[in-house]
Amino acid sequence: MSDQSTPQAANAETADREGISRRRLLGTAGATGLVLGAAGGATGYAAAPSTAAAPLTSLGSGRAMFHGKHQPGITDPMQACGHLVAFDLAAGAGRKEAAALLRRWSDTARRLMAGEPAGTRDTDVARDSGPSSLTVTFGFGHSFFGRTGLDGQRPVALDPLPDFSSDHLDKNRSNGDLWVQIGADDSLVAFHALRAIQRDAGSAARVRWQMNGFNRSPGATARPMTARNLMGQVDGTRNPKPSEADFDRRIFVPEQPAKNDRTWMANGSYAVVRRIRMLLDDWEKLSLKGQEDVIGRRKSDGAPLSGGGETTEMDLEKTDEAGNLVVPINAHARITRPDQNGGAAMVRRPFSYHDGFDADGVPDAGLLFICWQADPLRGFVPVQRKLDRGDALSQFIRHEASGLFAVPGGAAEGEYVGQRLLEA
């Protein structure tokens, strides 16, 4: 899945004994958790790790900012708990109602991310918690523009994704007019935000689908390290990093968008969301070598089968004594490399999920895959098409739901998310 950095600068006060309120915790510095990659997409990304794992008592103090150039929840370190929820506008609701809803949602998100109550009707679920690195991110689906009379403002990049051979999509759990991503390092804080967002929707929109996910908690390992997915594989070594010179060009729409994009999407990004079920019973029948050949990396430490450590460049031409490629030709890590896909790159921040067992005792578990890119036709689509043609991992996963959402740039002080679209 991905690389893990840990909370910084833990609160030196005896927070637990004093019962620090959400507002008082804001004085403590903190940067959270995990940045997770995925199975079934491109390979992973490591946030810059801290020098030492912080104690768990610091988890609540992490705070992400609502206002900014980009929306939160894209480059922020990945959190331990997540909710994804899509809404459809109610019958008769249009542009005016959507603008009022985004104004409410933005105000609620700003308050909760600051560790404040949601408003006068706050449920007190997170009353005793700090911000816990909460992020709330908003996006628009393809159908949103028709429902609000804004077809002319729909970006070309939001055209529906093509069909893929691994798709077994449930239409009831796919797409949607509006999409909200919630992440936090505390499950009650995350649920509190989910409930507040759902209540704010009121009569303007109804929930279309909702999914819950989790990741390894910050501080759960002796040192910051790349996380593992539910297949037990180290996953998240090669995600593009914000420190790279071309990161913004690959992940965000430029401030002066190209003619095939829309000015309201400046500094925004496009999120592809896929519910990818892992066929764990079949996967766990493979030998260790079989699993490593499917991925192309050692299970123990994520190092490429061609040798070295986790971050060692993979040698795609290396052969064994019999002349066979050490990294199989259909290995997942080989196929998803950007240099094997015309430079296609995306930032992936997914959550694992487990939704119980079916009647035969088969686990319904896998990955809530979320990837970010400036243009999905140059990011997700070419990689997934290549995976479709011969990825060894494909027989152990199944794509069961899908969505593509335009996520506008961040809201400035006094603005709400999407205002430049809805009030143009």
Side-chain angles (χ1 to χ4, degrees):
M1 297 202 296
S2 82
D3 293 3
Q4 174 182 7
S5 60
T6 53
Q8 310 285 322
N11 183 13
E13 304 291 335
T14 55
D16 290 339
R17 292 194 298 271
E18 294 181 10
I20 286 182
S21 70
R22 285 168 64 75
R23 193 167 297 169
R24 286 181 60 200
L25 270 167
L26 301 186
T28 59
T32 42
L34 309 178
V35 180
L36 296 189
T43 45
Y45 148 45
S50 63
T51 55
L56 294 177
T57 52
S58 71
L59 284 177
S61 65
R63 178 181 176 184
M65 306 306 294
F66 176 75
H67 294 294
K69 183 177 181 180
H70 310 296
Q71 284 198 60
I74 301 175
T75 59
D76 298 88
M78 192 63 195
Q79 304 100 319
C81 312
H83 301 292
L84 308 180
V85 56
F87 293 82
D88 285 336
L89 291 172
R95 182 173 176 177
K96 178 181 177 181
E97 290 77 14
L101 175 57
L102 266 297
R103 190 180 294 112
R104 290 195 300 275
W105 275 354
S106 294
D107 184 62
T108 293
R110 177 188 60 81
R111 289 171 178 270
L112 294 180
M113 286 175 56
E116 300 172 359
T120 57
R121 298 175 63 228
D122 190 88
T123 60
D124 286 342
V125 171
R127 183 183 181 91
D128 307 309
S129 305
S132 300
S133 298
L134 174 70
T135 59
V136 185
T137 316
F138 303 102
F140 306 124
H142 185 276
S143 56
F144 176 81
F145 297 85
R147 292 179 182 271
T148 54
L150 291 166
D151 287 289
Q153 290 297 317
R154 184 168 52 221
V156 173
L158 202 58
D159 285 351
L161 296 172
D163 295 330
F164 301 106
S165 63
S166 59
D167 287 353
H168 295 76
L169 304 182
D170 179 353
K171 292 183 178 180
N172 293 325
R173 293 194 294 181
S174 297
N175 302 313
D177 294 343
L178 293 154
W179 174 69
V180 184
Q181 172 191 252
I182 296 168
D185 279 330
D186 178 79
S187 56
L188 285 179
V189 169
F191 175 82
H192 182 234
L194 174 67
R195 180 62 176 142
I197 290 296
Q198 185 262 329
R199 285 167 55 122
D200 276 351
S203 61
R206 59 177 178 80
V207 173
R208 178 181 176 87
W209 54 259
Q210 191 255 316
M211 302 175 188
N212 309 313
F214 58 90
N215 290 313
R216 188 162 59 195
S217 297
T221 55
R223 58 180 176 79
M225 59 188 300
T226 309
R228 296 180 184 271
N229 59 33
L230 298 189
M231 289 178 163
Q233 296 290 149
V234 172
D235 186 358
T237 304
R238 289 183 55 87
N239 233 0
K241 300 174 177 61
S243 59
E244 296 172 359
D246 62 351
F247 180 86
D248 280 4
R249 177 181 62 81
R250 292 182 172 193
I251 306 306
F252 294 110
V253 176
E255 292 189 11
Q256 298 295 327
K259 62 180 181 180
N260 65 338
D261 217 318
R262 304 299 176 186
T263 56
W264 64 267
M265 271 296 290
N267 299 314
S269 188
Y270 291 90
V272 174
V273 181
R274 310 278 281 184
R275 185 182 190 272
I276 303 175
R277 185 169 181 174
M278 295 177 173
L279 308 180
L280 295 179
D281 284 352
D282 294 336
W283 174 256
E284 291 163 6
K285 292 175 183 176
L286 290 179
S287 66
L288 174 61
K289 183 181 186 307
Q291 292 180 352
E292 292 181 337
D293 283 346
V294 165
I295 301 300
R297 291 181 175 273
R298 292 200 301 257
K299 193 172 184 179
S300 60
D301 58 5
L305 296 183
S306 54
E310 182 185 347
T311 59
T312 300
E313 190 70 18
M314 184 175 290
D315 184 352
L316 299 180
E317 305 302 323
K318 186 174 182 179
T319 57
D320 59 21
E321 295 178 354
N324 299 312
L325 289 169
V326 173
V327 180
I329 197 68
N330 61 349
H332 183 74
R334 173 191 285 270
I335 292 175
T336 57
R337 285 169 55 98
D339 58 8
Q340 302 294 302
N341 294 281
M346 62 194 101
V347 166
R348 295 158 18 267
R349 298 181 75 252
F351 295 92
S352 293
Y353 78 87
H354 178 225
D355 289 339
F357 302 85
D358 65 19
D360 297 323
V362 176
D364 182 1
L367 203 73
L368 303 181
F369 172 83
I370 309 161
C371 71
W372 301 89
Q373 58 260 281
D375 183 351
L377 293 178
R378 297 198 306 264
F380 173 78
V381 171
V383 175
Q384 190 60 38
R385 277 178 170 158
K386 192 164 185 181
L387 290 170
D388 245 19
R389 294 195 294 266
D391 176 27
L393 185 61
S394 62
Q395 62 181 304
F396 301 101
I397 60 174
R398 187 165 61 223
H399 293 234
E400 296 187 335
S402 179
L404 171 61
F405 302 96
V407 177
E413 294 279 353
E415 287 186 346
Y416 63 86
V417 173
Q419 183 169 334
R420 280 162 277 178
L421 167 67
L422 291 164
E423 297 188 12

